[in-house]
Amino acid sequence: MTERSSGSIDLAPFIDHTLLHPTATLEQVEQWCEDADQFNFGAVCVHPAYVRQAAALLHGKRPKVCTVIGFPYGATTSAVKLYEAQEAVENGAIELDVVINIGWLKAGNMDAVHREIAEIHEATGQTIKAILETALLTNAEKRSAAEVCMEAGVAYLKTSTGLYGGATVADVRLLKELTKDRVGIKASGGIRTVEQALELIMAGATRLGTSHGPELIRQREGKAIR
């Protein structure tokens, strides 16, 4: 990456302004939505319990409402994930970040992984981002996960929840190679600096999941961080 190649990138539309800490409050959700509107972020990503409030706060505004399904481990039953996804859409979510069942993937039960994601996609008709948890996968497993999730109809492949390690340039490059631009790539976890954000975008990320969106914009603008 060079300054010339990255200098023209507008970070704001890439950012999914994320609030997924277990202690998140409604007051924080309101602040995150206000930030997203102010900075023109791509989306706000909140827990399912706050989707209705976020949808009301962002009604008629550019940022999309995103939530997580089967978060953070992906090991709830398919029926529970499906219900969670349908309820989230009823409450106003239009993007769903779904944690795949990593145990099924590692056991080679690809039909089950495909069926679960495909059912959610077909039932909701919304944008699905499959969370692969790349830090726990071999490169061969990443390839298998990418292919089965694309076949199931996802719009994005997402690197991680952030619990087991953040997004890496290497993983984004691999996903870029595997997807051949058929779907987007969401890099998520540990993105705290403009340098990291730009490197991930240059590697192929089309979304960035981070709770540090305003700080990144202020860094980009050369302003002091609060």
Side-chain angles (χ1 to χ4, degrees):
M1 182 188 70
T2 66
E3 187 64 29
R4 178 177 298 174
S5 62
S6 63
S8 62
I9 294 174
D10 180 7
L11 279 181
F14 286 87
I15 293 175
D16 284 9
H17 195 28
T18 303
L19 180 62
L20 295 176
H21 195 277
T23 63
T25 64
L26 179 56
E27 182 179 4
Q28 288 176 303
V29 170
E30 292 170 349
Q31 182 62 58
W32 254 244
C33 290
E34 182 179 325
D35 289 343
D37 183 38
Q38 175 186 346
F39 292 105
N40 213 23
F41 291 149
V44 169
C45 187
V46 297
H47 286 297
Y50 293 122
V51 165
R52 189 182 296 275
Q53 293 90 336
L57 290 165
L58 292 173
H59 179 71
K61 302 181 185 300
R62 172 174 174 168
K64 300 176 177 66
V65 176
C66 173
T67 193
V68 285
I69 305 299
F71 189 85
Y73 302 120
T76 48
T77 67
S78 295
V80 169
K81 283 185 180 177
L82 180 59
Y83 179 84
E84 188 177 29
Q86 291 173 313
E87 184 183 46
V89 171
E90 289 172 3
N91 287 340
I94 60 174
E95 297 191 348
L96 306 173
D97 288 17
V98 183
V99 187
I100 68 169
N101 189 309
I102 301 160
W104 287 350
L105 174 69
K106 285 189 167 288
N109 193 354
M110 307 309 292
D111 286 344
V113 175
H114 180 280
R115 182 169 56 252
E116 181 173 89
I117 298 298
E119 285 178 351
I120 293 171
H121 174 249
E122 291 166 8
T124 65
Q126 300 299 328
T127 296
I128 307 298
K129 307 189 198 96
I131 305 178
L132 308 184
E133 205 67 276
T134 50
L136 300 181
L137 305 181
T138 65
N139 281 350
E141 289 167 342
K142 292 169 195 174
R143 292 186 179 92
S144 296
E147 288 300 331
V148 76
C149 289
M150 286 191 290
E151 289 172 3
V154 303
Y156 292 83
L157 297 175
K158 179 176 172 181
T159 59
S160 52
T161 61
L163 290 183
Y164 302 100
T168 68
V169 168
D171 278 338
V172 171
R173 284 178 178 155
L174 177 61
L175 293 177
K176 173 75 170 176
E177 174 190 334
L178 296 172
T179 61
K180 297 179 172 62
D181 297 323
R182 287 176 285 172
V183 300
I185 298 168
K186 179 174 173 178
S188 185
I191 305 171
R192 295 182 175 85
T193 69
V194 168
E195 291 75 19
Q196 284 177 296
L198 293 175
E199 286 174 359
L200 291 164
I201 292 170
M202 295 299 293
T206 54
R207 287 286 189 90
L208 303 174
T210 177
S211 59
H212 300 278
E215 291 94 328
L216 293 178
I217 300 302
R218 293 186 184 106
Q219 287 179 39
R220 184 71 158 153
E221 294 174 348
K223 295 179 180 178
I225 304 171
R226 288 186 300 179

